[in-house]
Amino acid sequence: MFKVASLFSGCGGAECGLLGSFTFNEISYMELPYEIVYATDIDKKAIDTYKLNFECENVVVSDICDIHEDAIPDHDILIGGFPCQSFSTVNPNKDPYDDRANLYKEMVRIVQAKQPKVFIAENVKGFMTLKKGSIIQRVRDEFSNAGYNVSTALLNAADYGVPQKRERVFLVGLRKDIDTKYKFPSPTTVDIPVPLSVAIPDLINVEEKYYFSQKAVQGMKNAKNNMKRGLAQKLDEPCLTVTSHLAKASLNSRDPVLLVDPSKELYRRFTPREAARIQSFPESFLFAGSDLDAYRQIGNAIAPVMFWHIAKSVSDMLISIDNA
């Protein structure tokens, strides 16, 4: 078993994929040889969800900046999706050098101190392109100075069996004394993507609270700018990216929604369980708190099925090295 420490854990989407032993879309994802020895996040409600789903004795609610590296047990793999709002392409006017943007430095600090064999980091697409690539290069350089060879790729969850077009940047770092080069997993569903219908077993029969009012529909129709609105999703294609904004999904925004009845102009948002399926969480995954809490946790999560493929490629690599 490879020991894993998790930073910026959220509700545990990465861990769900990392451990495996679950079924999604009638496909079984085998158990992988990992053991979670430490997890932390600043969001208590997300950690409440984490504790419902994972057996780990050392789960901490704290600001990573306040956690000394000695408090984290030794581990083989460090994972973390450091906060991404500062790198988002949705609002390019945000400061890419604010305090949140510098939280990657905490991950660098931990890998430098603990020297795990591998680290896996995740962020939004904008992280790769912002400031003409200078931001990601700065991060790569700092991980390199900490003793790691870093491989980077922009992956789309829809290419790996997830019913969602979700592009994310992954950085996989191998400690420099490990004599191999990491190779990202090959896509599995490029030619036949998983459709949104997998996540929406019943388009119509959901609670009334998930439907948009006629006032909201009229507001969308009266909008005067050219921004696309009422982004109704096709059930036979992967969904557009779901975000932590799900709870506030609007018809006057870029949020993906469902058009239940075109003749009646009847729209609705996704239920939390539908949103979880869109992210590829298995049915057995539980969420603590309200719908609002669940939406935020789901939208911020790493898609489990996508991460399973990355985690499997890493474990296969490490096992191959150990057996050499």
Side-chain angles (χ1 to χ4, degrees), residues 223-275:
K224 297 187 182 301
N225 63 35
N226 293 324
M227 184 177 182
K228 287 185 179 179
R229 298 178 185 278
L231 289 180
Q233 302 300 289
K234 296 180 179 179
L235 293 179
D236 59 353
E237 298 178 358
C239 185
L240 292 179
T241 305
V242 295
T243 71
S244 59
H245 190 255
L246 277 168
K248 300 177 182 178
S250 166
L251 288 174
N252 269 343
S253 72
R254 298 286 298 169
D255 304 309
V257 296
L258 293 169
L259 178 57
V260 177
D261 188 335
S263 65
K264 297 180 181 178
E265 297 182 316
L266 195 60
Y267 291 83
R268 70 170 177 88
R269 58 176 49 83
F270 302 114
T271 69
R273 181 50 61 183
E274 289 170 342

